[in-house]
Amino acid sequence: MPFDPATRPLTPHEARVLATLMEKARTVPDSYPMSLNGLLTGCNQKTSRDPVMNLSDAEAQEALDSLKLLTLAFESSGNRTTRWEHNFQRGVGVPEQSAVLLGLLILRGPQTAGELRINSERWYRFADISSVEGFLDELQERSAEKGGPLVVQLPRAPGAREQRWAHLMCGPVDTSVGTPAASHGGGGSGALVALQARVDALEADVASLRATVQRLCSELGISPNTDPMSPPGQE
């Protein structure tokens, strides 16, 4: 039976450990399978994590033991130091593209299809946003026989151009988050939510432009890190 988060949702610690294994398998394959110390560093890193966590050795080991019972992770043999690998695709029953999207949602929190495409560059290169949306739709419409939906599309936040997606690996999510003053009350909070949504959209646009510049520089054989020109009148 494929993994069913409605029956046995992952804890936040289990989800972080599992998604970190998925990330490192793709981004630093030379360090994979991972030792407990390396995995702990990845789980607790301050960048590309939402929320930031501070897991202890015991908490990470407990999560690994639980994931092993769920057949979502396993120990590698033949090493003096115990190392761990994930078994996400087979354990959950999803293709690589869907696994990538779920891993990113677990690590970075709710994101738009455009943000997911940008953030997945080091994991998997999707052809376009419509391809990302197609796999998200499949995950949302996943049948009960296959374990039920694994993502949900959140309501559009005020001022946002696109709706965000959230994973369901840890169980149902509050879809009211991000709506005008739904959790906080008062118009000021709604304005802050709208401002944050606009900032997030601008950051996504900047990241997209950077990726385009890097690709063009690569095609032209030049470095994107060339020092900027001095202002007129200065050497």
Side-chain angles (χ1 to χ4, degrees):
M1 176 70 179
F3 176 77
D4 180 4
T7 302
R8 202 297 198 178
L10 297 180
T11 68
H13 289 176
E14 291 167 355
R16 175 58 56 87
V17 167
L18 179 58
T20 300
L21 285 172
M22 296 166 65
E23 177 190 54
K24 302 307 180 184
R26 291 170 169 83
T27 60
V28 285
D30 292 342
S31 302
Y32 188 82
M34 302 196 71
S35 65
L36 179 61
N37 286 340
L39 177 60
L40 196 62
T41 299
C43 289
N44 294 337
Q45 71 183 57
K46 307 302 181 185
T47 59
S48 305
R49 298 290 185 266
D50 183 14
V52 172
M53 291 185 177
N54 188 27
L55 273 68
S56 66
D57 288 7
E59 289 170 333
Q61 185 61 61
E62 182 181 2
L64 285 167
D65 293 339
S66 297
L67 291 170
K68 183 178 179 180
L69 292 175
L70 293 170
T71 70
L72 294 176
F74 59 93
E75 297 177 53
S76 296
S77 58
N79 296 296
R80 295 179 62 184
T81 301
T82 301
R83 292 183 176 272
W84 292 85
E85 299 182 52
H86 75 85
N87 188 40
F88 190 92
Q89 288 173 232
R90 181 174 296 181
V92 178
V94 295
E96 179 183 7
Q97 298 92 327
S98 297
V100 166
L101 297 175
L102 285 166
L104 287 168
L105 289 172
I106 294 171
L107 286 180
R108 293 172 175 254
Q111 298 159 77
T112 66
E115 290 170 333
L116 284 166
R117 188 191 176 207
I118 293 169
N119 292 332
S120 68
E121 281 292 309
R122 296 181 64 199
W123 293 42
Y124 181 92
R125 291 200 171 186
F126 289 91
D128 47 39
I129 292 180
S130 62
S131 177
V132 174
E133 292 172 336
F135 283 102
L136 289 170
D137 288 338
E138 288 183 6
L139 289 170
Q140 183 172 237
E141 297 166 4
R142 193 166 179 251
S143 66
E145 291 75 16
K146 293 182 178 180
L150 295 177
V151 300
V152 62
Q153 192 171 29
L154 303 176
R156 191 189 309 275
R161 294 176 300 175
E162 302 178 57
Q163 290 177 261
R164 291 190 167 195
W165 294 80
H167 74 86
L168 298 174
M169 297 294 291
C170 295
V173 300
D174 182 1
T175 57
S176 68
V177 174
T179 56
S183 302
H184 309 284
S189 296
L192 288 175
V193 171
L195 178 59
Q196 184 61 53
R198 294 181 64 185
V199 170
D200 291 343
L202 287 172
E203 289 179 345
D205 289 342
V206 170
S208 179
L209 288 172
R210 284 177 177 170
T212 300
V213 170
Q214 290 178 346
R215 185 178 70 253
L216 291 174
C217 288
S218 176
E219 293 174 354
L220 294 173
I222 61 177
S223 172
N225 298 319
T226 303
D227 293 333
M229 296 178 61
S230 300
Q234 297 184 19
E235 294 184 357

